[in-house]
Amino acid sequence: MNLLLLIIIPLLTAVAALLSRNKQQVRWISFAGAVAQLILSIILYCAFTKERAGGNEAEMLFEQNYALFPAWHINFHLGVDGISIAMILLTSFVVVAGVLVSWNIEKMTKEFYFLLILLSLGAYGFFISLDLFVLFFFLEIAVIPKYLLIGIWGSGKKEYSANKLALMLMGGSALVLVGILGLYFSSGHSFDLLSLSKIKIAEDTQRIVFPLLFVGFGVFTAIFPLHTWVPDGHSSAPTAGSMFLAGISMKLGGYGCLRVAAYLMPEAAHQYSNIIIILSSIAILYGAFATMMQKDLKYINAYSSVSHCGFVLLGIGMLTTTAVTGAVMQMVSHGLMTALFFAVIGMIYDRTHTRQVSEMGGLMKVMPFISTVFFIVGLCSLGLPGLSGFVAEMTIFMGSWENASAFHRIATIAACMSIVVTAVYILRAIGQVAMGPIKKNQSQLRDATWNEKLAAIILVAGIIVIGIIPGWLNDLVRPAAEIIMNKIAGK
Amino acid sequence: MLNDFLILMKSELVITLIIFILLFIKIGKGMKNENLLPLLQVLLLVNFIAGFFFNKNGHLFGDMFYTNELIVFEKNILNLGVYLISLLCADWLKKTPHLPEFFMLMLSALLGMFFMISSGNLLMFYLALELASIPVAAMANFDLEKKRSSEGAMKMIFSSAFSSGILLFGISLIYGATGTISFAELPGQLDGSAFQILAFAMLIGAFAFKLSIVPFHLWTADVYEGSPIATTSFLSVISKGSIAFVFIAALYIPFQKMFETWYLMLVILAVITMIIGNLFALRQQNIKRFLAFSSIAQVGFILVGMSGYPDGTTAVVYFILIYVFSNLAAFGVASVISEHSGKENIDDYKGLYKTNPFLCWILTLALFSLAGIPPTAGFFGKLFLISSGAAKGAYWFVTVAALNMIISLYYYLRVVRAMFMDKNEQPVEKIKTNSTVKFALILCAAAIVLVGLLSWIYDYIQSLMN
């Protein structure tokens, strides 16, 4: 399995989209590219499990290594483990759905799809690179398309949101850059993730570099108190933009925190774990309570994303194999769920032209398909068993409980409490939007079109498959998480 | 001896030849601008290509003049820049009534820069610097009917005279302190005494003037704004680039022993230059002033790279190569728009995407490259500068540089936002871009995308160092 394909296909798709003649061509080219990538990711998963079943115990599989800038010891080093595969699968699902949902974009269609594909290219590259410099390169590639997507195709105070998002994320990546350079110069000049993981980095250096990297990546995944770009960015972005932002881009941060910060600097991870737990607990509770006060559907999902991404950091901060596995599962689950949520909100908004919960009612009778999906995703968000949200959060809680100290217990209990709050705001929103009397001007709306149905079905399938048979995801992620945790535990 | 002379001074001789050709055309029958400009473009292209052949290391006139592969490469970068300017500013150049004179001045300045880069002696360096700066002042005055242009030229003359004075003073102090002005003999005579540091500081001050390093930058914005865009782009790219080459050679070779002294100076200058340049760029309306302050900030980044002895050279040369393409592309678009519509304000760029998508994409790419955003080459250039700066373990310094990248992103995005997002009732009308300009813009854009990804270019520059 050649990992370069994962970069080449989006690249070709993007170029082809630029060269295409009309809007219809752009749409189909992007769709074809996204589907090809989805198939490729599934093939990658199969090839990976086959290798593992065949007894290949190497930390990373399908490695490729090319010298890029020998003067700086920068290599184009690619490779995947279970965690990367999970993230790649997530990305490819969200990309297909995002392309389908944007079918009706009429304004600058070509540029829109080009930027979407470019963003996904950044994400794929990020998840497979094993060289910190290349990783950083792809991380930054994924930032600027978001600025343009929000600024050009967005709604509301889009320029403000786009600026805020771009500057905060670039700020985060500036911290990441300094952190990476710190690692480079303190490790005897290496950017390579695998060789860095074998070097013991001096604890003094770790104490400085770890917060830089963790906070830098944390900005992407909405670490408290640097989450403020999330509500503005999501609410202003076009539908597919929000889906990519919450579904893919926020996961870059979580992945970076785990793979770069915690993995390379285990001692510092221990020292700072309490702070991480406190910050993520605050994010979970604050996000949940802030959501209760929101009246706009997109804000509801944006704040609930802050809360759900808090679980990811909580899982990482707990530093047990189960909790970290749960954190990765939560990334996948939340990615699918929140992408679906934004897709549904986009569909509703396209028809009702409002996102205010109070201005909608009885949509179940008018648009049964969309409302049903809305129901499913809402239930997933509040953690109903049988859907992916439950599996992921449950795993995190179980992992957290393995820590015996009172502090960890209290943090876990506090995080659990947020589920109740989630139930309150989700059920209230669903009740208002889907149930009750139909609002006057909303009785004639049509249900989802074929592309919207397909997008929703793809994501719903992902949520249900993880919810009903979570074993495969667990088996995929757990060995990789174990390697990371063994390093952190000093084994 | 004659062969040596011909080969070692090849670049200078070719430029002189072109100047003479121009002179004969001028005093002879003369040519129409429409015919002369293509001829010049071809000559400059030939000059650029010729730069790659028959290169030899060696020195002439004692050790007054020396050349090696790295120096030849630097000269080629400058040649390339001048060629691009002749293409990008074609619209303006065709209209100017004194085209041959403009090019004679520009090429004389270029000749001065070549001698400056090759100089092995402070006196030679001073002479070359004068040759490189006086013609530029005349070029700044080339928009003859505009008052601002004369004002810019005046400021330029005064400030270069002042900085030359400082430079001469520094050179005489250095001679007094060490008894030599030859680059080869200087290292042996330096002991870091207070007197020598004073002399050295004078020298740095003169460099700082030319590179418009804060607090010696005050002339920059006015001169940039007043001059025609061809001159502005020459000033901000070719002139800056050549001075940076000399600066780095001077610091790394003759003054290597005073590393501790100049390292601290560079760090301080870099920090204030980046911050002041960026903060002033935030509020600019005129695109030329805007690019002036952005180029001040870029110089700050170059200083960050320079402070990282000995890896700095490669990073700086590499960055300047990228900077040539990025900044010239930005100036090229500004030149096209200003030439066709007379508009030079960022607010006038609002809604430009509706009418001129091609120009918008080029400008966006150029600005992203200046801001250091991947996959453009500027990302790699800036990153290597910052990494070189980090080599000494000064993380606070690198953090300041990295945070400055965010400030700069804000104002670059401002232009992008004006073009793509802001609405405008009367955007600039659709411009029919001249085919040479289009070619040059596409060339720059391709280079901006490819120079970074083709990583062997960096290795090539690295290999020239040895």
Side-chain angles (χ1 to χ4, degrees), chain B residues 34 91-92 136 169 249 424:
Chain B
E34 288 86 56
D91 292 330
W92 180 82
V136 179
F169 187 46
N424 192 354

Side-chain angles (χ1 to χ4, degrees), chain A residues 3-15:
Chain A
L3 288 180
L4 274 180
L5 283 177
L6 280 173
I7 301 175
I8 291 171
I9 288 183
L11 197 63
L12 289 181
T13 317
V15 173

Side-chain angles (χ1 to χ4, degrees), chain B residues 18-77:
Chain B
I18 299 177
I19 296 177
F20 272 105
I21 293 175
L22 274 172
L23 199 61
F24 287 131
I25 290 174
K26 176 71 191 171
I27 53 178
K29 247 171 71 191
M31 271 169 94
K32 276 189 183 154
N33 281 359
E34 288 86 56
N35 304 329
L36 182 59
L37 192 61
L39 174 72
L40 263 169
Q41 285 163 350
V42 172
L43 283 176
L44 288 173
L45 180 62
V46 171
N47 171 40
F48 169 60
I49 293 169
F52 289 97
F53 299 102
F54 305 115
N55 293 320
K56 222 175 119 182
N57 297 354
H59 53 92
L60 284 172
F61 318 127
D63 58 359
M64 281 282 207
F65 181 98
Y66 72 102
T67 179
N68 58 36
E69 283 180 52
L70 182 65
I71 286 178
V72 170
F73 184 76
E74 292 171 352
K75 286 177 183 170
N76 283 341
I77 294 180

Side-chain angles (χ1 to χ4, degrees), chain A residues 197-270:
Chain A
S197 72
K198 294 185 183 73
I199 300 169
K200 191 174 158 19
I201 294 156
E203 281 195 33
D204 290 347
T205 318
Q206 288 194 20
R207 223 166 281 145
I208 302 168
V209 174
F210 183 85
L212 286 173
L213 280 172
F214 203 90
V215 174
F217 282 119
V219 175
F220 280 78
T221 191
I223 193 173
F224 184 86
L226 297 171
H227 63 280
T228 51
W229 62 271
V230 178
D232 289 322
H234 285 89
S235 61
S236 302
T239 304
S242 310
M243 289 168 70
F244 277 42
L245 202 56
I248 303 172
S249 161
M250 286 175 83
K251 307 301 170 285
L252 302 178
Y255 181 85
C257 284
L258 179 62
R259 171 78 83 215
V260 182
Y263 182 42
L264 296 182
M265 288 169 287
E267 282 84 9
H270 273 297

Side-chain angles (χ1 to χ4, degrees), chain A residues 68 70 72 108 111 133 170-171, chain B residues 353 374 383 406 409 455 458-459:
Chain A
L68 198 63
W72 287 101
M108 292 156 72
E111 289 84 348
F133 185 91
M170 286 309 257
Chain B
Y353 189 76
L383 231 56
I406 305 167
L409 181 68
S455 59
Y458 192 87
D459 297 321

